[in-house]
Amino acid sequence: PEHALLMCTASDALLAARVDFLVRVAHLWPAFVAPMDEDDALTALRALYGEKAVHNVLGTYIRKVFRIFEAVELQWPEMYVERQ
């Protein structure tokens, strides 16, 4: 989940939602530092979960991300598809 929420760049809608989310977080919790790479993403997500001041905007953002991903057809790499 941390990749989709904080790192993924595969969707313009996702990037726009993330920018909006991070601006809102900056107003509520100025000390938050957005992750710079995948290694920092899980730590950043745990920090967000632990900060009550941002719970409402985090929940709203998570719902937006689910809506964005639900609108895109899931494509499995061929190597993960079981053949019968």
Side-chain angles (χ1 to χ4, degrees), residues 17-35:
R18 184 178 306 127
V19 168
D20 180 60
F21 167 69
L22 291 174
V23 167
R24 292 173 188 269
V25 167
H27 288 290
L28 297 169
W29 186 24
F32 177 73
V33 177

Side-chain angles (χ1 to χ4, degrees), residues 3-19 61 64-73:
H3 174 79
L5 293 170
L6 299 172
M7 302 304 301
C8 185
T9 59
S11 161
D12 289 340
L14 179 59
L15 290 171
R18 184 178 306 127
V19 168
Y61 175 58
K64 284 182 186 178
V65 171
F66 273 110
R67 280 191 230 117
I68 291 166
F69 277 89
E70 287 173 351
V72 176
E73 181 182 353

